[in-house]
């Protein structure tokens, strides 16, 4: 502590780095979640935001991952797809999502990639009492986060998965990768009707701007369905408000964020944490 | 603050990075000096140690300096010479020293290099009441730090400067650069006799290991001389103890470290700090 009572980063030459790579960095939340937790647990590690423009990523990443004090990186926009080419190994979830948001430097220097956006989403759904195995899910939006959620829902055992995205090529390719890894999964592509689904997900950016249209016809969501959101800018988006008004249970965007962090920490080799503990310690400046 | 009362790094996506680049990193002190000061002053910046091996530096540095949230870097062993080739502009002090320990990213992306090892040394000497201008100085050891001290002593106006190093090629080249920039400076090369000098500096690593020989014949140091040391591992090295026993005033190695930091901070565009303030806030784990 300083004489003024302000917090002090206990960073030294023995501190392990986890790079948080993306651009722009201003909206990054991870440093304010991980670092207080590391401090509380007495773990000598720090998440450091690095604003890397798309055109610099391929040059920076290989030497950065050779730093003697780096354990890995959190990868965010716009590098989640580009990073795949630099990795020596990826998990099936990352392969299906076609994107990676976590890189670990193995002891031999090889790079291992995984994808936890969807894992965070699914952990949150299950924690809130909504079973996933054997159920039917709709994911509207098949960009990075939607693909990751679809991959994780498949991994968690949904029986039926509907995908919808105006980018039909991307949507169809995602469906193909899912079919290849999960041959018994019933896949539906191109239909955003939520009727009949147990789990309904907005994985589009709709809801970030005031006046955005609804990502789907909310009046068709079954009141018994569980509704999830990926937008984090507002906790109760218009979409979630409408779903809640229908009686649906729901999960806000930041739940996905906090639920995925224990999975990341495990991936990086740190002790178990819970989403609740992380949320309690976080010092997020929104 | 965490509920446990532990300090928390207030790092966010808006935090400015200063990379501390060297290898190995374990003995780095700067993060534990700068970061508490930034926190105390409410400055949203962080010094981050990066362990860069010699063979990776040329690949890493250019994209690292293009990070959107980097202000510059502290450069230490083994990169102080190699970094010179990457810079767009260097100060005369860095040019004479042939090495650079600070890089600032200019608003247009160009890289500006300076060298503060010697500046820290000279500021400390002057603060302790020993005038430099017009005096005679001996610098034993013309490696990176010795060259930097010689350059800064010349800049501060010594009238006579003696250099000594078993690497005669390096010593002679340094003398040549000094002569070019300071044509009126009286230069003596290859004589480690401290007799007749007002300021006497050990800029060799002798004193880091128990049983190291003295860097020069201490019995020849004038008791009125001011004696400086660059070894930081021990505050009172055998050399300083012997000089103090002769009645000499002296400066320990870490004084150079704390005195140079206000110069660095000024270079990076931060408000004025004093060495005493920095020392009071530092959280060094030796």
């Amino acid at each position: 502590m300083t004489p003024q009572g302000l917090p002090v980063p206990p960073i030294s030459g023995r501190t392990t780095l986890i790079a948080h790579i993306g651009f722009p960095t201003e909206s990054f939340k991870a440093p304010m979640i991980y670092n207080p937790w590391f401090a509380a647990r007495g773990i000598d590690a720090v998440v450091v935001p690095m604003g890397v423009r798309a055109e610099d990523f391929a040059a920076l990443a290989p030497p950065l991952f050779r730093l003697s004090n780096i354990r890995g990186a959190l990868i965010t926009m716009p590098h989640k797809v580009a990073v795949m080419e630099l990795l020596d190994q990826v998990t099936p979830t990352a392969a299906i999502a076609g994107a990676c948001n976590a890189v670990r430097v193995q002891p031999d220097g090889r790079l291992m990639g995984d994808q936890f956006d969807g894992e965070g989403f699914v952990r949150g759904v299950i924690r809130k009492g909504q079973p996933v195995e054997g159920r039917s899910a709709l994911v509207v939006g098949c960009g990075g986060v939607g693909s990751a959620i679809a991959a994780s829902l498949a991994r968690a055992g949904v029986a039926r998965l509907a995908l919808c995205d105006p980018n039909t090529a991307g949507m169809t390719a995602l469906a193909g990768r899912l079919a290849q890894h999960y041959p018994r999964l019933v896949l539906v592509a191109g239909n955003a009707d939520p009727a009949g689904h147990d789990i309904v997900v907005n994985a589009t950016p709709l809801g970030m701007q005031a006046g955005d249209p609804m990502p789907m016809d909310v009046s068709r969501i079954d009141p018994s369905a569980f509704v999830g959101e990926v937008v984090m800018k507002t906790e109760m988006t218009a979409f979630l408000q409408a779903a809640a008004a229908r009686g649906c249970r729901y999960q806000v965007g930041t739940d996905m964020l906090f639920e995925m962090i224990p999975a990341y920490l495990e991936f990086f080799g740190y002790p178990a944490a819970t989403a609740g503990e992380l949320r309690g310690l976080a010092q997020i400046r929104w």
Side-chain angles (χ1 to χ4, degrees), chain A:
Chain A
M1 291 296 296
T2 68
Q4 289 78 359
L6 291 168
V8 171
I11 297 170
S12 82
R14 290 186 284 273
T15 301
T16 297
L17 301 188
I18 296 177
H20 188 185
I21 299 176
F23 181 80
T25 62
E26 283 71 12
S27 63
F28 280 12
K29 306 285 179 289
M32 298 168 281
I33 302 173
Y34 285 76
N35 293 339
W37 185 83
F38 286 142
R41 289 290 188 102
I43 294 169
D44 193 5
V46 64
V47 171
V48 178
M50 296 190 186
V52 182
R53 293 177 186 87
E55 61 270 28
D56 289 321
F57 183 75
L60 178 68
L64 186 72
F65 286 125
R66 289 196 294 271
L67 290 182
S68 61
N69 59 332
I70 198 165
R71 182 159 300 184
L74 315 178
I75 308 290
T76 187
M77 292 279 289
H79 309 301
K80 289 186 187 187
V81 174
V83 70
M84 297 287 280
E85 286 181 33
L86 302 173
L87 303 175
D88 297 296
Q89 198 183 344
V90 297
T91 59
T93 305
I96 292 171
C100 177
N101 64 6
V103 174
R104 182 178 65 216
V105 182
Q106 308 284 49
D108 64 1
R110 288 163 56 89
L111 302 179
M112 168 74 178
D114 206 339
Q115 168 58 270
F116 297 112
D117 283 332
E119 174 73 10
F121 186 88
V122 169
R123 285 187 185 206
V125 170
I126 292 169
R127 181 186 305 279
K128 288 175 187 67
Q130 171 62 51
V132 174
E133 195 169 352
R135 302 306 166 104
S136 179
L138 166 67
V139 177
V140 177
C142 299
V145 65
S147 297
I149 290 172
S152 291
L153 286 168
R155 179 163 174 266
V158 290
R160 185 165 161 263
L161 184 56
L163 307 172
C164 193
D165 196 290
N167 171 1
T168 51
M171 175 183 69
T172 308
L174 172 62
R177 295 192 299 273
L178 283 163
Q180 188 185 346
H181 281 81
Y182 299 98
R184 288 185 300 181
L185 175 64
V186 177
L187 283 158
V188 180
N191 185 344
D193 183 358
H197 289 292
D198 305 305
I199 299 164
V200 172
V201 187
N202 173 36
T204 76
L206 294 173
M208 290 191 72
Q209 306 297 328
D212 276 346
M214 288 286 171
M216 66 190 75
D217 182 353
V218 182
S219 71
R220 300 271 300 166
I221 302 177
D222 191 321
S224 69
F226 186 97
V227 175
E229 172 67 274
V230 303
V231 170
M232 295 187 197
K233 198 174 174 182
T234 313
E235 286 242 310
M236 285 305 289
T237 57
F239 172 65
L240 285 185
Q241 287 180 31
R246 291 182 61 74
C248 299
R249 291 158 302 141
Y250 60 87
Q251 168 166 286
V252 301
T254 58
D255 281 343
M256 182 175 73
L257 180 67
F258 285 99
E259 291 285 351
M260 85 174 79
I261 294 175
Y264 270 112
L265 289 168
E266 197 176 304
F267 174 74
F268 288 123
Y270 292 111
T274 66
E277 180 192 6
L278 290 158
R279 205 183 255 281
L281 291 167
Q283 298 196 317
I284 293 188
R285 312 184 222 166
W286 287 97

